[in-house]
Amino acid sequence: MENLLAIFFTVLITDFVAEFGDKTQLLLIGMTSKYKMRDIFLGTLFANVVLNAIAVFIGGALNEILNSFLWAVKFVAAAAFIYFAVTALKNDDDDEEEGTDSRIKFAPLAVFCTFFVAELGDKTQLTAVTFGANYGMSMVFVVFLACSIGLFAADIIGMLIGYFLKAKAPDGILKVLSFALFAGFGVFTVYQALGLLQARLSEKGSQAVVPVGPVMAAVAVVFAGLCLLQLWLNKRADKSSRA
């Protein structure tokens, strides 16, 4: 029993520390400017359960798959981050007008998908893979439970920090913070994806070189264009509401 508890708390604390200050925790702070606490709680909870189940129960097989396609996962995550960065610029009034019932219905799914692709292959999931492999099938449920609780506890702290800032900080500060977080992680994730793609091509013996500079420049231009478009739409909506 003592050995079981020792393993449980070792895994829990390690996963908690690994997640604390990680990008997914910071992204949850940003999400508080867009979604209700219940939606973030549900989306994050289910994402944590699925991610840790995949990591602990599949383990080594998952690691091989991720090594092959992690660059593609990173591109999907980058697209999600950039989308949230652009939508962080939207007026609050616009959000209310665009089908409130639909947004409430799909908000947990949006949080789930964003968190899932951001965390897939990240260091906390790889930590779960390692613990699952080290302790074997006899401790698989203990490791799964400890990883899930540790990861979720760190993420809930991030969510609570976001709502504290939303309640105490001046209007607009959290939206600016959300935009900065999503934009920063979006651009950085594109850079990571390009590096992983280059490494994958090299492993296959290809002499092709991924044009990192031009691609990053193109991403920056597209991102800036989308931001300007959103700001123009905000201005247009303001004029319409005053008319």
Side-chain angles (χ1 to χ4, degrees), residues 16-234:
F16 178 85
V17 172
E19 177 68 5
F20 211 81
D22 195 33
K23 68 175 181 295
T24 41
Q25 189 190 44
L26 297 175
L27 289 171
L28 286 176
I29 296 176
M31 283 186 181
T32 56
S33 69
K34 292 177 62 65
Y35 299 114
K36 294 179 180 179
M37 183 181 293
R38 177 193 62 189
D39 298 327
I40 298 177
F41 184 91
L42 289 174
T44 304
L45 175 63
F46 285 115
N48 273 319
V49 170
V50 173
L51 284 163
N52 283 301
I54 292 172
V56 174
F57 290 106
I58 298 178
L62 170 72
N63 205 19
E64 291 184 12
I65 295 170
L66 286 177
N67 285 337
S68 300
F69 299 103
L70 186 56
W71 61 271
V73 173
K74 291 292 184 182
F75 275 124
V76 174
F81 295 154
I82 289 172
Y83 167 77
F84 279 113
V86 173
T87 55
L89 298 173
K90 292 181 71 173
N91 290 336
D92 292 333
D93 293 340
D94 294 342
D95 288 342
E96 293 175 4
E97 291 173 3
E98 291 181 2
T100 303
D101 292 338
S102 176
R103 290 186 78 246
I104 291 173
K105 183 177 180 181
F106 293 106
L109 180 60
V111 175
F112 172 89
C113 292
T114 304
F115 189 91
F116 185 86
V117 296
E119 190 67 28
L120 191 63
D122 202 26
K123 68 174 184 281
T124 41
Q125 195 185 35
L126 296 179
T127 300
V129 170
T130 302
F131 278 125
N134 286 347
Y135 291 114
M137 291 303 296
S138 62
M139 290 291 179
V140 68
F141 287 104
V142 175
V143 172
F144 166 71
L145 187 62
C147 285
S148 298
I149 293 173
L151 184 63
F152 191 59
D155 292 331
I156 288 300
I157 290 173
M159 182 183 72
L160 293 176
I161 290 172
Y163 280 107
F164 175 81
L165 292 174
K166 188 176 182 179
K168 300 297 182 180
D171 291 343
I173 290 295
L174 189 57
K175 292 193 75 171
V176 172
L177 177 62
S178 299
F179 173 79
L181 286 171
F182 285 123
F185 284 125
V187 173
F188 178 68
T189 306
V190 171
Y191 181 77
Q192 281 186 315
L194 294 172
L196 290 168
L197 178 58
Q198 182 64 72
R200 185 62 182 162
L201 291 173
S202 298
E203 286 176 9
K204 289 186 173 182
S206 173
Q207 299 298 317
V209 177
V210 177
V212 177
V215 172
M216 292 300 296
V219 169
V221 170
V222 171
F223 177 58
L226 290 172
C227 291
L228 290 173
L229 175 62
Q230 183 59 63
L231 293 172
W232 178 78
L233 291 173
N234 290 348

